[in-house]
Amino acid sequence: MKKLTLTLLFFALAAGISFADEQTLNEWKMKGEGLRKPIRTEVPATVAGVLADNGVLPEDLFVSDNYRQQDKSIFDGEWTFTTKFRTRGRKGSHFLLQFNSLGFYADIELNGKKLASSDTTYGVFIRREYDITSIARSLRKNKLTVTLRRAQEGDLNIGFVDWNPRPLDESMGILGDVVVKTVGQVSLNDVFVKPVLDVETFESADLQVAVALNNKSDRNVSGVLSLSYENGSAEIPVELVPGENKLSLSPENMVILHVDSPRVWWTWDLGTPELYALNVAFKEGDAVSDSRDVTFGIRSIESKVIDNHRQFYLNGRPVLVKGAGWSDEIFLRDTHESNELQALYVKDMGMNCIRFENIWGKDDNIYDCCDRLGLMAMVGWSCQWEWESYCGLPETDSYGCISSPEDIKLAAAYFHDQVIRLHNHPSIICWLTGSDRIPGPELERLYMEIYDEYEYRPYVCSAKDMTSEYGGPSGTKMEGPYEYVGPDYWYLDKNLGGAFGFNTETGIGMNLPQLPSLRKMMSEDEIWPLSKAWDAHCTASSSAMNSTEVMTRVMDNAYGHAETLEEYVNRAHAIDYDATRAMFESFRCNIPVSTGIIQWMLNSAWPSLYWQLYDYYMVPTAAYYGTRKACQPVQLIYNYGLKEIFLVNETGADKSVVADIHIYDANSSLIEDYSLPAVATDNKPVSVLMVPDHEGGIFIAAEVKDESGNVIADNFYCIPEKNNVYNWERSNWYMTPISEYADMSFVSNLAEATVSMKVEKSGNTYSVELTNESEVISYQNILQLTDAAGELIAPAFWSDNFTTILPGQTKTLTCTVYDGVEGKVNVQTWNTSIK
């Protein structure tokens, strides 16, 4: 009966008259200093992005140190975007021109008449709307001109801070969609759906729906508000006074908002990310004045601060947040396709969250991806407004740089527009209004007025261990490290970034790209021996993490000096894989003392050597596969602190398994062998084996098998005789120095192994069978799929990579690519001859 009602309503709306229409203005021309003629472009776009895509900026802009040498003076003047459009409507229509983001100062003209002036029209996170009914030419072309100037020092702009260089143009451009909307007398400004789920039984949920309407006439307007979704349809008569009107709907006045047996939104690893589609329309008589489609999810998200550690609860279940920090491309050129791929990468690595330290994205697409794929999202403001050296305004106590009345007003307006923009996404679990600082008291007061009206998710005042007047304790920590620490650090440290509490940003520093990507970043004469070109692609920080010095020192002391480029890259990969894997594993091992871990970072805005799980070219790093190994839902993990092997499980249910553990000496001889039945208890790590003391380095191979003997997860470790010795007293904000390095030379000294390879392709999947025909462990085999030109194909989803093959073992790996992709499988090896 409900389906019939819904169908009849849709037919009724289709049969009636509708004012509602919407067109997105994508096609523009851009003109500015030094251009002989305008460049045709699509928006959203930045000026620098358009120039780069059209060959005005040099093709080798990102090679070596070219970016830092690029002349930026062309961006000091005005840049103009123009487009033409027609309006479509009937008598009584209103035409609304909407800008979702402009960077930074804008003069806007329509048909030669000024709509806005840059002295009042500035700010990147403001959403603007202009009623152009009296200016628009019906059925004739309208000319829209937007003249822009870049942000200046002291402006509250988008920021890439110290992990990437500043954009050449300071992100000047039309950064969000431009829309011309046709409505009747009443427009729908916002629909906010707040779900209230019964987390004890999951048998029902109530929806609270807030609708904001704007009566554009100078008299009261009577009409009908209709809601339609899979639970049915309903209408309610309303009378609206001129101006803004807000309606609150609930099961008390609209019974369809009570949901029996709701489909619940879960993260991908715990269930299905179920979504609902709601249509809301306002009708004047038989005519639809305006309508809006809203996607939402039914789920509960809460958090508690326990012993100063913030614990998130999804649908009543405590979850360990495992994620990484997002950055947009440096000229904001991410597409829906690249967003989708990156979200798929996060899921493929086994993580459940992305932290957006900024309101990234030219539209809602990346958050839509999180909704659909079942990834949690942390959103909020970046530290670009908290450091005088970046923002250009003086810092004030622990409050950052936003202190003047004008800046406070602008930041509050930003917050208002972005909260409303994002508050229906079920993936978003919290807002962080500070990163390294907290908002000042007056700014936070304004934030909370907005938050109380338009949000309900947990509010977190800072990503650092801080306390604010309105937010209370953050329950988070930001104590580093951001530079190399060994795999043992995460278990040994009890005071800084180690495996306890919620670490909102941390990592082991250099996450080196694979060799084919490195060759794109540097010329052949600069790539080896190491040159200053390498340093140019480290972080943009002036104080640290701006050279290869640390990685080289670690390598020389732990593995031995690299004699060739290939040897350097392989050893850097081994260091990266082990240390990043241990970071995620340690937080899993320490549940419930550990509550969240965010790798700094997920991706890079430009070709970089630091802080990335996949590189600028979308090719996974060693850290990608280390993270993927660490985050397998059921896994055996070596605890470097206790020297025990733990069984972890985050699937939502206990599982009976068998733990097969094999220990080899430095010469690849099997010295210990265990097959241990165990119960993998959900969300409760279980110790299954104390690793015997040993002289010299050892190798540990561990497999989790189900009751039928099928391998559901494996892991492999190179364990030195002794852990690193840390100089804890000299710890700083980005690292803890190592005074004595663990001896990993036994890994460098592995004898040569012989592995045979067979490759078959079926459809979009390559199957690669590797058989170790020797008595030597074949360590860190890097499988690469290349095209006819020898370039790495990305995306290429490997079932495993950077993989080790035991003596006599056959391992089959798969690689899935997009339709029509053809490639060749190559293997970059550590100590192995492939035949």
Side-chain angles (χ1 to χ4, degrees):
M1 185 63 185
K2 290 177 181 177
K3 290 184 179 179
L4 178 60
T5 304
L6 185 59
T7 302
L8 289 174
L9 177 66
F10 282 149
F11 273 113
L13 292 177
I17 300 169
S18 179
F19 288 90
D21 185 43
E22 188 173 296
Q23 56 177 313
T24 302
L25 307 183
N26 297 124
E27 303 297 328
W28 294 68
K29 292 181 180 179
M30 187 187 81
K31 186 74 172 69
E33 181 180 335
L35 294 184
R36 297 182 197 174
K37 60 181 181 179
I39 296 175
R40 292 183 180 274
T41 184
E42 292 187 356
V43 302
T46 65
V47 173
V50 174
L51 296 183
D53 289 342
N54 286 273
V56 179
L57 295 179
E59 184 178 354
D60 61 353
L61 179 65
F62 292 153
V63 175
S64 299
D65 196 28
N66 294 347
Y67 186 87
R68 299 174 199 271
Q69 307 303 321
Q70 179 64 35
D71 179 16
K72 298 188 289 186
S73 62
I74 62 170
F75 303 109
D76 292 338
E78 293 181 341
W79 287 80
T80 300
F81 289 77
T82 59
T83 191
K84 294 181 179 180
F85 65 93
R86 299 180 190 273
T87 54
R88 302 184 296 269
R90 57 191 294 271
K91 185 177 181 180
S93 292
H94 286 257
F95 303 116
L96 310 177
L97 176 63
Q98 299 173 337
F99 293 90
N100 285 306
S101 180
L102 292 171
F104 188 85
Y105 293 91
D107 291 290
I108 305 171
E109 288 187 357
L110 179 64
N111 298 332
K113 296 185 179 180
K114 181 157 285 191
L115 295 178
S117 176
S118 60
D119 58 347
T120 57
T121 308
Y122 57 87
V124 70
F125 292 116
I126 297 288
R127 310 181 89 188
R128 297 177 170 87
E129 180 178 281
Y130 304 95
D131 192 327
I132 58 171
T133 306
S134 62
I135 304 174
R137 298 165 177 161
S138 181
L139 301 180
R140 293 169 56 197
K141 281 189 176 180
N142 298 275
K143 183 178 180 181
L144 176 62
T145 303
V146 180
T147 302
L148 298 166
R149 288 185 293 113
R150 69 173 180 83
Q152 304 297 310
E153 184 176 354
D155 287 332
L156 304 184
N157 192 24
I158 292 173
F160 289 84
V161 203
D162 63 352
W163 56 91
N164 298 297
R166 298 180 82 113
L168 297 174
D169 61 349
E170 298 294 330
S171 302
M172 173 172 49
I174 298 176
L175 309 182
D177 286 337
V178 182
V179 174
V180 175
K181 189 173 181 180
T182 306
V183 300
Q185 295 186 88
V186 175
S187 64
L188 259 169
N189 289 0
D190 182 42
V191 177
F192 174 30
V193 182
K194 177 182 176 181
V196 181
L197 175 67
D198 179 356
V199 296
E200 296 296 326
T201 67
F202 293 92
E203 292 179 357
S204 66
D206 288 338
L207 305 180
Q208 299 173 0
V209 181
V211 181
L213 303 115
N214 190 358
N215 177 1
K216 298 184 173 301
S217 73
D218 57 2
R219 59 180 179 80
N220 288 4
V221 172
S222 298
V224 171
L225 186 71
S226 68
L227 274 67
S228 307
Y229 73 121
E230 68 181 60
N231 202 41
S233 59
E235 295 183 342
I236 184 171
V238 293
E239 183 169 346
L240 307 177
V241 299
E244 187 174 56
N245 291 257
K246 295 184 178 180
L247 303 178
S248 296
L249 306 174
S250 67
E252 283 70 35
N253 54 16
M254 200 170 270
V255 294
I256 64 166
L257 298 181
H258 176 80
V259 186
D260 290 320
S261 302
R263 297 184 292 104
V264 177
W265 189 93
W266 287 96
T267 52
W268 68 270
D269 51 334
L270 294 174
T272 303
E274 299 283 0
L275 296 173
Y276 287 79
L278 173 70
N279 175 267
V280 180
F282 182 81
K283 294 186 292 183
E284 305 171 48
D286 292 332
V288 175
S289 181
D290 197 6
S291 68
R292 179 172 293 205
D293 294 315
V294 176
T295 300
F296 68 95
I298 294 178
R299 59 97 182 90
S300 167
I301 186 70
E302 297 176 313
S303 73
K304 297 178 183 177
V305 177
I306 305 170
D307 296 330
N308 207 36
H309 304 327
R310 187 171 294 272
Q311 173 69 66
F312 282 91
Y313 298 83
L314 177 62
N315 301 324
R317 172 191 167 85
V319 292
L320 175 67
V321 175
K322 303 183 294 290
W326 176 281
S327 174
D328 275 12
E329 197 268 345
I330 197 160
F331 297 150
L332 305 184
R333 290 181 292 182
D334 284 306
T335 64
H336 288 188
E337 291 74 22
S338 69
N339 286 342
E340 175 88 13
L341 171 58
Q342 294 180 83
L344 286 171
Y345 274 169
V346 173
K347 181 178 176 180
D348 185 59
M349 282 184 276
M351 296 188 291
N352 58 15
C353 182
I354 301 175
R355 182 185 169 201
F356 297 92
E357 191 194 337
N358 212 327
I359 311 300
W360 292 115
K362 295 174 286 191
D363 55 23
D364 278 15
N365 174 257
I366 183 57
Y367 308 101
D368 293 338
C369 290
C370 291
D371 294 344
R372 184 165 30 83
L373 294 175
L375 298 170
M376 293 181 286
M378 302 172 67
V379 298
W381 299 131
S382 170
C383 57
Q384 77 262 15
W385 303 335
E386 299 171 339
W387 297 348
E388 182 174 350
S389 60
Y390 195 90
C391 182
L393 296 172
E395 297 181 40
T396 54
D397 299 323
S398 60
Y399 304 132
C401 303
I402 303 175
S403 58
S404 71
E406 295 78 14
D407 288 335
I408 289 173
K409 181 180 178 181
L410 180 60
Y414 280 179
F415 189 68
H416 173 274
D417 286 5
Q418 297 307 310
V419 165
I420 291 176
R421 168 192 167 189
L422 297 174
H423 59 186
N424 284 314
H425 290 282
S427 57
I428 294 176
I429 62 170
C430 69
W431 266 86
L432 292 93
T433 52
S435 178
D436 300 40
R437 301 286 187 267
I438 56 175
E442 174 60 17
L443 178 58
E444 189 176 39
R445 182 187 66 79
L446 294 176
Y447 281 167
M448 295 312 296
E449 287 180 359
I450 296 163
Y451 211 76
D452 289 343
E453 183 172 359
Y454 297 108
E455 256 295 4
Y456 65 93
R457 280 164 267 235
Y459 167 77
V460 184
C461 65
S462 178
K464 198 170 184 178
D465 181 12
M466 302 190 79
T467 299
S468 73
E469 180 178 349
Y470 294 91
S474 67
T476 60
K477 66 175 183 177
M478 191 193 294
E479 300 295 335
Y482 297 90
E483 186 57 279
Y484 180 79
V485 291
D488 47 14
Y489 167 90
W490 307 99
Y491 297 92
L492 299 175
D493 171 63
K494 306 299 180 185
N495 299 305
L496 299 168
F500 60 92
F502 197 126
N503 195 336
T504 58
E505 51 182 73
T506 189
I508 61 98
M510 185 176 286
N511 304 122
L512 200 68
Q514 296 189 46
L515 187 53
S517 291
L518 285 171
R519 295 192 183 280
K520 293 181 180 180
M521 298 164 57
M522 288 165 267
S523 59
E524 278 302 312
D525 61 333
E526 293 177 302
I527 198 169
W528 189 259
L530 298 183
S531 68
K532 289 294 184 182
W534 287 67
D535 296 347
H537 290 274
C538 295
T539 80
S541 172
S542 60
S543 58
M545 301 161 291
N546 49 24
S547 78
T548 60
E549 177 187 352
V550 172
M551 173 59 77
T552 303
R553 182 170 67 245
V554 173
M555 191 182 301
D556 288 350
N557 282 275
Y559 288 87
H561 183 71
E563 300 295 339
T564 66
L565 172 62
E566 290 74 16
E567 201 169 69
Y568 187 93
V569 171
N570 278 355
R571 292 181 183 185
H573 287 332
I575 291 167
D576 183 13
Y577 184 104
D578 284 352
T580 304
R581 174 183 59 176
M583 178 181 70
F584 280 99
E585 288 183 340
S586 65
F587 276 75
R588 298 189 72 195
C589 256
N590 282 0
I591 292 173
V593 175
S594 55
T595 59
I597 172 67
I598 302 294
Q599 147 80 14
W600 203 247
M601 294 181 63
L602 174 66
N603 55 1
S604 287
W606 82 306
S608 176
L609 307 180
Y610 260 75
W611 298 344
Q612 57 192 350
L613 296 178
Y614 48 90
D615 65 28
Y616 179 76
Y617 311 104
M618 299 293 174
V619 176
T621 63
Y624 181 107
Y625 294 105
T627 301
R628 193 177 191 278
K629 188 67 68 177
C631 293
Q632 291 179 88
V634 180
Q635 182 59 292
L636 287 166
I637 292 173
Y638 178 75
N639 183 314
Y640 284 82
L642 298 176
K643 298 183 179 180
E644 296 179 48
I645 294 178
F646 280 79
L647 178 62
V648 298
N649 173 15
E650 293 179 82
T651 63
D654 295 352
K655 294 184 181 297
S656 295
V657 300
V658 174
D660 280 357
I661 300 168
H662 317 287
I663 301 178
Y664 296 80
D665 67 14
N667 296 315
S668 301
S669 297
L670 183 65
I671 56 176
E672 301 281 350
D673 205 9
Y674 304 90
S675 185
L676 307 170
V679 175
T681 308
D682 178 50
N683 246 11
K684 185 178 180 181
V686 177
S687 176
V688 296
L689 179 69
M690 173 72 75
V691 175
D693 291 336
H694 53 91
E695 291 186 12
I698 61 171
F699 302 101
I700 300 176
E703 290 182 332
V704 184
K705 295 181 177 178
D706 62 20
E707 292 179 300
S708 299
N710 301 307
V711 176
I712 58 177
D714 66 350
N715 220 337
F716 182 85
Y717 295 91
C718 309
I719 304 299
E721 182 176 358
K722 296 178 181 178
N723 284 325
N724 294 288
V725 177
Y726 292 90
N727 192 339
W728 300 106
E729 292 74 19
R730 292 187 59 199
S731 297
N732 54 40
W733 67 271
Y734 64 91
M735 71 179 297
T736 295
I738 298 174
S739 55
E740 184 178 329
Y741 288 84
D743 183 3
M744 301 297 292
S745 61
F746 69 101
V747 187
S748 302
N749 295 331
L750 275 167
E752 183 174 292
T754 302
V755 170
S756 63
M757 179 173 71
K758 296 179 182 178
V759 180
E760 294 182 356
K761 186 173 188 284
S762 177
N764 296 326
T765 300
Y766 292 80
S767 179
V768 183
E769 182 183 273
L770 299 170
T771 300
N772 188 345
E773 298 179 351
S774 67
E775 295 181 355
V776 178
I777 291 170
S778 173
Y779 181 60
Q780 192 180 265
N781 295 279
I782 306 171
L783 282 79
Q784 299 172 334
L785 189 68
T786 57
D787 61 19
E791 297 285 343
L792 287 176
I793 292 172
F797 289 92
W798 288 95
S799 60
D800 193 14
N801 212 328
F802 291 73
T803 189
T804 295
I805 310 167
L806 304 176
Q809 183 184 29
T810 294
K811 184 176 284 189
T812 300
L813 309 179
T814 61
C815 178
T816 303
V817 294
Y818 289 166
D819 287 342
V821 173
E822 294 292 336
K824 178 183 178 182
V825 175
N826 302 302
V827 185
Q828 180 179 325
T829 66
W830 177 279
N831 68 315
T832 302
S833 173
I834 301 292
K835 66 176 189 177

